[in-house]
Every structure is written in C-alpha cells, then in structure tokens.
C-alpha cells in the first residue's frame, strides 16, 4: 500500500504516525500518508494514503485517495479513490 501503484511517486513518511493524533487542518502540495488519528480537514494535490490503523474525521479534498483505514466525512478525489478490504468510509 502506498507504493505509488497508480503511476505516482510514493508518499513521504507518515505525517501522523501510528499511535499519533493531530487536531487541525492538514494541507500538503504533494502526497501525504496518515497512519494515526486526524480530526480536521485534509487537503492535498497529490495522493493521500491512509493506513489500516488510521482514523480520519473531517472533509478530504485530495488528488487521489488510497484508503485502508477509517474516514468520516465528505471526500472529493480529483483523479481516483481506492478502498482496500477492511476500509470504512462514512460520508459522500
């Protein structure tokens, strides 16, 4: 997961590592990876990779989404979105 399988570069190290928590707005011009908990909107022009232990609460506006964890909120993906087995999305 997160290996750039759709023709993009792999995202950087996790912005929020597994076991970590962040509250607030996250903005990234490139790709991003989340392994922990984020409460607040996330915006990235690149690929957002959400690990299997991650839990996001807030609007996602991304270039592309690879979701293996949980997300609660509306999602806007400009190019594509992929949900892995076991992923949960509550929103539109």
């Amino acid at each position: 997961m997160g290996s750039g399988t759709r023709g993009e570069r792999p995202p950087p190290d996790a912005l929020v590592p597994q076991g970590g928590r962040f509250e607030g707005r996250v903005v990234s011009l490139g790709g991003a990876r989340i392994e922990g908990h984020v409460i607040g909107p996330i915006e990235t022009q690149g690929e957002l990779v959400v690990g299997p232990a991650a839990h996001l609460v807030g609007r996602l506006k991304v270039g592309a989404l690879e979701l293996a964890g949980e997300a609660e909120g509306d999602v806007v993906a400009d190019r594509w979105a992929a949900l892995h087995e076991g992923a949960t999305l509550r929103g539109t």
Side-chain angles (χ1 to χ4, degrees), residues 17-88:
Q18 188 170 346
R21 179 183 172 102
F22 179 82
E23 294 186 33
R25 182 175 179 223
V26 176
V27 178
S28 173
L29 295 177
R33 186 165 58 93
I34 307 288
E35 297 290 343
H37 293 249
V38 175
I39 299 173
I42 299 175
E43 297 177 34
T44 180
Q45 294 176 2
E47 179 182 354
L48 175 65
V49 176
V50 180
H55 183 92
L56 311 180
V57 178
R59 182 175 191 266
L60 304 179
K61 182 170 181 354
V62 299
L65 175 65
E66 188 171 333
L67 179 65
E70 297 181 41
E72 298 179 41
D74 293 339
V75 175
V76 175
D78 293 334
R79 293 186 300 281
W80 54 265
L83 277 68
H84 291 265
E85 185 175 342
T88 303

